[in-house]
Amino acid sequence: MSFPVYSIYDFFVRHMGALSISRGFETLKMKNGKSKVPELAKNLEVELRIPSSTRKPRTCSFKLEEEKETIAEFIQQNPQGFNIELFHQLLSKLCGYPFFISSILFQRLSNERDILPENDFLAFWTSELEPFDQTTRFFNALKGTDNFLRPGNLLPFFEELLYVHPGLQFLKDSPQVQQRYVETIITRIFYSIRKFTSKKISLREFEKYKLMESIMQAEQEADINNCKEFSYEHFYVIYSKFWELDQDHDLMLHREDLAQYSSGALSRRITNRVFDVLELQGRTVNGLMTFEDFICFMLSEEDKATESSVEYWFTCLDLDGDGFISLYEIEFFYEEQYQRVLELGGEAMSFSDFSCQILDMIKPKQGTKITCRDLKSSRSACIFLDSLLNVKKFMEDQVKSKSTFFREVGLSNWELFAAEEYEKAASCCESSDSSSCCGKRSDCE
């Protein structure tokens, strides 16, 4: 009785996983016995490798025999090798690769030739694709030689996407815009999974954040704007704002340029601190902010509810880098906000009252010291950050909640909606001459 090869492999992985892994991989080779596959397939060795921590083994869902038959059939029909169309057809069937992935792989493997020889394909197949599941295969096609995915690894694939996606053809005559678009895609991907500083993604992270699905969606969607990180509309908003601030159009921002963001809504202390952090991380160029770092800044400023944004602003607010935001640091940033609110004719509470509200809202686990984890676990993080960073949003929150400074952000969406609608009704009734107003919205409209 013969057993499927993947079942034997699964047995070794589950029950003998410690076998000879000190060298990274242990190679187990099996020959097909009695099989219905074409004669050519019988000559293909099945190389099964016990993976190291950087690789994920194939699962039983992959039918090795069917894949071998498919490869054998393609080789039999194309003994001289594969052109790019055949190469894509094969990898699409075996791995589900979109064309812009297959195209770049073909160029690499064929060394820019028109035909990829059979042996070159088989070498790539057995070492990088055959032993692994679909996600790992996709990761292996993109990654660098160090088993991490870095921005430079993604660049050629997304440049190819520009040429093959029908929704991006209008950019063909705008190479500079193309370059900025690709840079935005890559930066957003690394930013979304909180890797905008280290700039490297492991296989585990690639799978955890479903990056394969996001990248494949870019080809499947006719409207590129339906793909979050690939959205041209999102890119347009980001690049337009950058272009507006970059007065000399050298693709670099000075501190004074960034201070004009959102008509100067952010405090000078925080915009200066953003530059200070970038300099400490070695990310500035001659003391100036790059377009890439502006993308991270803008995404963090416009959506403070994400973990990426919380980490970004926590690093800025933690002046001494001790892993906590202390009351001293909160006061440092609040001082400027307090003065600006008064200058704009608003009402601002004392720091003593403000700090009590902050601590009651965030509920830090270590007394008055706020950690990044405290902010991530609090649904009030965006309100807290706005109160220290952006005077316009700071004052908007004051208007939205008249009884207290902070909204009850711990409430459900419906409860928030109901509270806001009730406040509208109450305000309407206060301004109405009718004493019979019952607070219903329809009565006050």
Side-chain angles (χ1 to χ4, degrees):
M1 180 178 180
S2 62
F3 292 88
V5 176
Y6 59 76
S7 296
I8 298 173
Y9 175 71
D10 185 65
F11 173 84
F12 273 102
V13 170
R14 291 178 179 276
H15 304 289
M16 301 181 67
L19 178 65
S20 302
I21 60 174
S22 60
R23 295 177 301 180
F25 294 105
E26 180 68 14
T27 300
L28 305 174
K29 295 186 177 179
M30 301 179 182
K31 296 276 189 174
N32 289 300
K34 296 179 180 180
S35 175
K36 296 180 181 180
V37 299
E39 186 66 26
L40 183 59
K42 293 182 181 180
N43 297 325
L44 297 177
E45 287 188 328
V46 182
E47 186 182 55
L48 303 179
R49 304 186 296 173
I50 296 177
S52 68
S53 59
T54 61
R55 299 205 178 193
K56 183 179 178 181
R58 68 192 292 111
T59 61
C60 294
S61 62
F62 280 89
K63 298 179 181 179
L64 182 58
E65 293 296 329
E66 291 183 6
E67 291 177 343
K68 289 175 61 181
E69 288 180 4
T70 299
I71 295 173
E73 181 181 352
F74 267 77
I75 292 176
Q76 201 169 44
Q77 294 176 357
N78 304 277
Q80 302 302 318
F82 306 136
N83 60 24
I84 189 169
E85 288 80 12
L86 290 171
F87 180 77
H88 171 61
Q89 290 177 25
L90 182 56
L91 285 190
S92 178
K93 190 170 185 177
L94 295 172
C95 308
Y97 285 172
F99 182 78
F100 67 91
I101 301 293
S102 300
S103 176
I104 297 300
L105 284 178
F106 181 85
Q107 294 174 37
R108 288 179 179 175
L109 296 175
S110 67
N111 293 320
E112 305 294 334
R113 294 174 294 178
D114 294 332
I115 297 296
L116 176 65
E118 166 194 331
N119 291 338
D120 291 346
F121 169 78
L122 291 177
F124 174 69
W125 168 256
T126 57
S127 64
E128 298 297 334
L129 303 181
E130 182 184 51
F132 308 113
D133 68 355
Q134 186 180 18
T135 303
T136 310
R137 288 176 173 183
F138 206 94
F139 180 82
N140 286 350
L142 302 175
K143 69 175 178 63
T145 56
D146 61 351
N147 288 321
F148 284 101
L149 185 59
R150 301 179 186 274
N153 303 135
L154 292 175
L155 182 61
F157 294 101
F158 294 156
E159 287 178 340
E160 185 70 11
L161 175 66
L162 281 167
Y163 291 101
V164 301
H165 197 289
L168 296 170
Q169 296 305 298
F170 67 97
L171 292 177
K172 279 188 174 181
D173 297 326
S174 305
Q176 185 177 10
V177 177
Q178 285 184 331
Q179 187 177 354
R180 299 287 83 76
Y181 172 73
V182 171
E183 190 174 350
T184 301
I185 295 173
I186 295 174
T187 301
R188 290 192 68 183
I189 288 175
F190 280 80
Y191 174 87
S192 67
I193 65 172
R194 309 193 307 282
K195 292 293 181 179
F196 51 88
T197 301
S198 67
K199 294 187 177 181
K200 65 178 184 179
I201 300 173
S202 67
L203 171 59
R204 180 176 298 180
E205 292 161 342
F206 186 82
E207 182 175 29
K208 177 182 177 181
Y209 295 102
K210 302 184 183 302
L211 294 183
M212 180 185 74
E213 291 80 355
S214 297
I215 294 173
M216 292 184 69
Q217 184 189 12
E219 182 180 62
Q220 296 165 357
E221 282 283 355
D223 185 355
I224 198 70
N225 294 309
N226 292 332
C227 306
K228 181 181 175 182
E229 281 81 13
F230 293 82
S231 169
Y232 178 80
E233 292 178 357
H234 292 187
F235 157 74
Y236 182 84
V237 170
I238 294 170
Y239 190 46
S240 295
K241 180 58 64 176
F242 181 84
W243 191 257
E244 177 186 326
L245 296 175
D246 182 19
Q247 295 295 319
D248 55 7
H249 303 310
D250 63 349
L251 297 177
M252 296 287 177
L253 294 183
H254 297 261
R255 291 178 184 244
E256 294 73 19
D257 296 331
L258 190 65
Q260 299 305 312
Y261 184 84
S262 188
S263 301
L266 277 77
S267 72
R268 289 304 298 264
R269 289 186 178 182
I270 195 60
T271 55
N272 283 331
R273 177 60 179 164
V274 166
F275 271 82
D276 292 342
V277 170
L278 291 176
E279 288 179 353
L280 287 172
Q281 295 174 345
R283 296 172 64 89
T284 58
V285 178
N286 297 323
L288 305 180
M289 174 185 280
T290 64
F291 175 60
E292 176 187 347
D293 283 308
F294 175 78
I295 296 170
C296 296
F297 162 81
M298 186 171 179
L299 293 174
S300 299
E301 168 54 24
E302 299 305 332
D303 187 1
K304 297 186 178 73
T306 67
E307 289 194 355
S308 297
S309 177
V310 169
E311 289 186 6
Y312 184 95
W313 292 120
F314 182 88
T315 302
C316 292
L317 296 175
D318 182 16
L319 295 173
D320 56 9
D322 64 351
F324 300 97
I325 299 176
S326 64
L327 287 179
Y328 164 77
E329 289 161 331
I330 294 174
E331 184 176 17
F332 174 78
F333 289 101
Y334 183 70
E335 282 179 349
E336 184 176 352
Q337 293 288 77
Y338 178 85
Q339 291 297 327
R340 297 185 77 192
V341 169
L342 294 180
E343 291 170 2
L344 293 172
E347 296 181 4
M349 63 177 66
S350 66
F351 177 72
S352 177
D353 292 338
F354 176 82
S355 61
C356 288
Q357 291 273 22
I358 287 289
L359 297 176
D360 183 58
M361 179 177 63
I362 302 298
K363 296 179 174 57
K365 297 186 182 303
Q366 300 189 42
T368 60
K369 295 181 177 181
I370 298 175
T371 65
C372 191
R373 179 174 294 182
D374 291 330
L375 290 181
K376 287 181 180 180
S377 62
S378 172
R379 295 179 62 187
S380 306
C382 56
I383 305 297
F384 164 67
L385 293 172
D386 278 338
S387 68
L388 297 181
L389 309 178
N390 189 309
V391 70
K392 289 183 179 179
K393 295 178 181 179
F394 179 45
M395 296 182 72
E396 286 173 3
D397 284 322
Q398 287 180 302
V399 173
K400 290 178 182 177
S401 184
K402 296 181 179 180
S403 58
T404 60
F405 171 70
F406 295 104
R407 293 184 300 168
E408 292 294 332
V409 292
L411 301 178
S412 68
N413 289 337
W414 163 249
E415 289 168 327
L416 283 172
F417 170 80
E420 290 173 357
E421 288 300 300
Y422 180 83
E423 187 172 350
K424 290 178 184 177
S427 299
C428 183
C429 288
E430 287 176 4
S431 61
S432 175
D433 294 332
S434 172
S435 60
S436 61
C437 182
C438 65
K440 294 182 180 179
R441 184 175 181 178
S442 59
D443 293 331
C444 297
E445 290 179 337

